[in-house]
Amino acid sequence: MGINLPFRYNSPQVQIFLIGFVCFCCPGMFNALNGIGGAGKSSTDAANNANTALAITFTICSLVGAPAYNIFGNRIIIPAALTYVLYVGSYLSDNDGFTIASGAILGIGAGFLWTAQAGIMMSYPSEQDKGKAFSLFWAIFNLGATIGAAIPLANDWDNAKGDVHSSTYIAFIVVMAFGAFSAFALLPAHKVVRQDGSSVSAHKFSNWKREAIEVFRLFMDWRMLVLIPLFAGSNWFYTYQFQVYNGGGYFNLRARGLNNLLYWSLQIIGGGLFGWLLDQKFLGGRRNRAFVGNTIVLVLLASLWIACIFLQKRFSRQSVSAPGFITTDVTHEGYAGMAVEYALFGLADAVYQGFIYWLLGTMTNDSERAARYGGFYKTIQNAANAIASQVDAIKTPYDVELYIVFAINAVGLLLAYIVCFTVTDITVEKVDNLKDGVAAEVLVGGRVETIEDASIKE
């Protein structure tokens, strides 16, 4: 006797919910910890160097992650997610070398996890639902970061020291381990069926030779090259926001924790509204919506960075290190405005990431290609993040870091308009390596149109 569920378990929405839950527990908690500034430590040096090591291996393994996902499927997610447990555990040792090494290992796991996530989120839903799919994933993922932010805030509200309690790290470890093993619930791609009856994947498992060729071709795709500055800016601002604005010494631990909670809470709102908006046909066809989305992100980020230029005048590396400097608490005058700016940083991040995922989703409905696009995005994103971490690690003046990230975001979003011109209402693409075909076939809006009894119909 089977179990009757109130939902269709093999639907794209349920599978996106499940990968969202994995990310809720693992990257979500990691983001909450990093968002405190210095991963909860009074000094940001270990976190900066660990983040650099993470970004380097994340960069490499994002390119490798897509082939691994296309060859092995969802099985790579569980060991990838467990690397988050190791990383947080390293902070219990007070050994900076172990933390940095764990950061490098986490980069490997994150590369595999996030390329798998991209393949699932961008290719599983129907074309008219891709924005809503992002909203669902981003809300669940950042609910993890929000709850994760509440843990140290509650645990360390009266903590006068700069470091969080050990029990905070232990709580993160337990949640992350549970999330990693919850990936067992994910179905293989070929068993997931859209509402129109089409399978989200008709591929055979790929092979390394084929994947190497396809990854190389990404660097020959002019759209990917034009989007490099957009991808680079998507995590560059984390270093400024987490390590400078929130973790640069201006706020005490309690204020940092509350800022962190507000940041991730606004992520849920921003991602939910923006993803829904990008699917609304009253804005016109997909090309029009691409232009609208790009403009919203550009205006929002430009406004926040301009406001931040004035707020940054309140402190510098030198001022926060001066004898007698008093850190800002939640009860101090001027805190509210700084907190609102930081919360809106979270909303802007969700909008920025949502636009990238949606734009990439307009280029393909193929699960293999979506994973490769996601891997390329994460490769550029984390290569830039490694540079940003070291820009901060060499004690670059805070205002200079702000000007750099503002410039990168502006250039990336302006260039993205070029790619917006290529967006079509229905994606038509050629795919190969299909179970029922013997050569390349045509995928129209996510449905294979030309397979007939394993023969080719051109």
Side-chain angles (χ1 to χ4, degrees):
M1 181 177 177
I3 300 175
N4 293 320
L5 297 174
F7 51 84
R8 186 163 58 85
Y9 192 77
N10 68 339
S11 69
Q13 290 78 12
V14 170
Q15 298 304 304
I16 291 168
F17 175 88
L18 291 173
I19 190 63
F21 183 75
V22 174
C23 292
F24 165 102
C25 294
C26 297
M29 294 295 163
F30 168 83
N31 282 347
L33 189 62
N34 253 14
I36 302 171
K41 296 294 185 181
S42 56
S43 170
T44 63
D45 290 345
N48 267 334
N49 290 322
N51 282 339
T52 301
L54 185 159
I56 292 171
T57 54
F58 199 165
T59 299
I60 297 168
C61 291
S62 292
L63 279 181
V64 178
Y69 173 70
N70 290 337
I71 294 171
F72 301 110
N74 294 339
R75 289 171 287 185
I76 66 169
I77 293 176
I78 296 170
L82 286 172
T83 60
Y84 286 87
V85 178
L86 176 66
Y87 176 77
V88 175
S90 73
Y91 281 100
L92 294 172
S93 71
D94 283 328
N95 183 322
D96 286 359
F98 180 35
T99 298
I100 294 168
S102 298
I105 295 170
L106 173 57
I108 298 171
F112 290 141
L113 174 60
W114 280 106
T115 48
Q117 176 272 338
I120 291 170
M121 192 182 74
M122 291 196 294
S123 69
Y124 280 23
S126 301
E127 289 189 332
Q128 68 270 21
D129 295 325
K130 291 198 175 187
K132 292 186 282 290
F134 170 79
S135 294
L136 174 62
F137 170 82
W138 208 253
I140 298 167
F141 163 45
N142 284 292
L143 180 61
T146 303
I147 294 173
I151 293 172
L153 180 62
N155 207 22
D156 299 289
W157 183 259
D158 297 317
N159 183 2
K161 301 191 305 177
D163 296 354
V164 302
H165 292 300
S166 295
S167 57
T168 298
Y169 293 115
I170 293 171
F172 278 109
I173 289 170
V174 171
V175 174
M176 287 176 167
F178 180 78
F181 288 109
S182 70
F184 277 117
L186 284 164
L187 291 177
H190 69 272
K191 292 185 178 181
V192 182
V193 180
R194 300 188 184 98
Q195 191 172 4
D196 63 4
S198 62
S199 173
V200 303
S201 176
H203 286 291
K204 299 178 290 185
F205 284 122
S206 189
N207 59 76
W208 287 109
K209 180 180 178 181
R210 176 173 174 273
E211 288 299 319
I213 294 171
E214 293 298 331
V215 167
F216 176 77
R217 286 177 176 168
L218 289 173
F219 292 91
M220 308 298 290
D221 185 334
W222 71 267
R223 294 176 301 178
M224 293 293 106
L225 299 180
V226 169
L227 291 174
I228 282 176
L230 182 72
F231 297 162
S234 63
N235 265 21
W236 192 294
F237 48 58
Y238 283 167
T239 298
Y240 174 80
Q241 292 169 359
F242 296 164
Q243 311 300 5
V244 175
Y245 193 96
N246 201 35
Y250 183 76
F251 299 105
N252 66 9
L253 182 61
R254 177 163 52 188
R256 283 159 53 193
L258 182 56
N259 291 346
N260 195 32
L261 179 62
L262 294 172
Y263 183 98
W264 298 113
S265 298
L266 265 289
Q267 288 263 2
I268 298 173
I269 297 171
L273 291 176
F274 191 66
W276 171 84
L277 183 67
L278 290 174
D279 281 343
Q280 298 309 302
K281 293 184 179 179
F282 70 81
L283 293 176
R286 287 204 302 179
R287 181 178 299 168
N288 286 346
R289 283 177 265 155
F291 283 114
V292 170
N294 201 353
T295 302
I296 290 173
V297 182
L298 178 59
V299 171
L300 177 59
L301 266 178
S303 301
L304 288 174
W305 289 134
I306 291 170
C308 196
I309 290 173
F310 294 97
L311 293 173
Q312 185 59 67
K313 296 181 184 297
R314 297 186 182 185
F315 68 101
S316 65
R317 285 192 187 275
Q318 292 72 31
S319 68
V320 298
S321 302
F325 178 80
I326 299 175
T327 55
T328 296
D329 194 12
V330 296
T331 58
H332 290 178
E333 183 180 356
Y335 168 74
M338 298 284 284
V340 168
E341 174 80 3
Y342 195 70
L344 290 175
F345 280 156
L347 185 144
D349 176 38
V351 169
Y352 193 112
Q353 310 292 345
F355 175 66
I356 292 176
Y357 276 117
W358 183 86
L359 187 61
L360 291 176
T362 66
M363 299 178 189
T364 187
N365 293 299
D366 176 42
S367 60
E368 289 191 340
R369 193 168 288 135
R372 296 187 200 109
Y373 283 171
F376 185 87
Y377 163 38
K378 290 295 178 181
T379 295
I380 302 303
Q381 181 186 71
N382 288 286
N385 191 30
I387 298 171
S389 292
Q390 284 310 294
V391 167
D392 186 55
I394 61 174
K395 311 301 182 185
T396 301
Y398 287 162
D399 57 347
V400 174
E401 290 195 50
L402 171 57
Y403 299 144
I404 291 172
V405 68
F406 189 178
I408 291 172
N409 285 164
V411 170
L413 287 163
L414 289 172
L415 287 174
Y417 281 111
I418 300 172
V419 178
C420 290
F421 278 106
T422 69
V423 175
T424 58
D425 282 337
I426 298 176
T427 303
V428 179
E429 57 192 321
K430 281 192 174 183
V431 294
D432 61 3
N433 196 44
L434 300 175
K435 290 181 178 179
D436 299 328
V438 294
E441 305 287 2
V442 177
L443 204 63
V444 179
R447 295 180 66 96
V448 177
E449 296 289 339
T450 56
I451 291 182
E452 287 189 4
D453 300 323
S455 63
I456 308 302
K457 187 170 78 175
E458 297 288 11

